[in-house]
Amino acid sequence: MAEQTEPINDTVATPSAIFGKDAVTAAMADHIAIVGLADFILDAKWDRKELTLTVAPDTILAAANAAKAAGYNFFEDLTAVDWYPTEPRFQLSYSLLSHTFKQRLRVVARISEGQSIASITSVWPAANFYEREVFDLFGIHFSGHPRLTRIMMPDNWNGHPLRKDYPVEGYR
């Protein structure tokens, strides 16, 4: 069966799914995200017309600055996934958009429980409430955040309700 391809832009056609840093960077060598974040990429995936780049958690602030310099001018979203009991336990997914190039980018960082990650509010102030939400619901600490306090749960709430090890009926 022949491999299906789809255009990334008007001139480049790639397979509909590419996995792995080497394969993605080779197939998409001129993509603005690949060029701009080349020094930070640990892993990469192109699937369903979405580019996902995995970076080390200690480089997230530098990677965010590089993405902004590459043309990703809009911070869309930040969310987390709890992969308990797998380590590293948490995956942070940052969704970025370039209005100029009409491209989306997902930047992923994986961290272990108890590990903190740098806040990107200095790059995109809009990340403020998203980081507070992830802190509140997953317990992930963002170092350098201007006001890392609960945003959804009461201040005296025990635990973080979106963790997989959180009791279904809450702590009693």
Side-chain angles (χ1 to χ4, degrees), residues 49-63:
K49 299 182 183 180
E50 295 180 358
L51 179 61
T52 302
L53 302 178
T54 302
V55 301
D58 58 340
T59 65
I60 192 64
L61 190 55

Side-chain angles (χ1 to χ4, degrees), residues 141-161:
H141 186 267
F142 293 88
S143 58
H145 190 280
R147 185 176 177 231
L148 195 60
T149 57
R150 287 197 180 262
I151 192 169
M152 300 179 85
M153 305 303 291
D155 289 337
N156 62 351
W157 191 266
N158 288 328
H160 305 283

Side-chain angles (χ1 to χ4, degrees), residues 6 8 14 40 49 88 102 116 135 137 150:
E6 56 189 52
I8 293 174
T14 61
F40 305 104
K49 299 182 183 180
K102 296 176 180 52
S116 67
F135 165 73
L137 300 176
R150 287 197 180 262

Side-chain angles (χ1 to χ4, degrees), residues 59-75 94 96 118-128 131 143-146:
T59 65
I60 192 64
L61 190 55
N65 278 311
K68 191 170 190 177
Y72 289 91
N73 60 315
F74 186 75
F75 174 82
Y94 300 81
L96 311 175
S119 171
I120 63 163
T121 55
S122 61
V123 181
W124 287 295
N128 185 332
E131 289 179 353
S143 58
H145 190 280

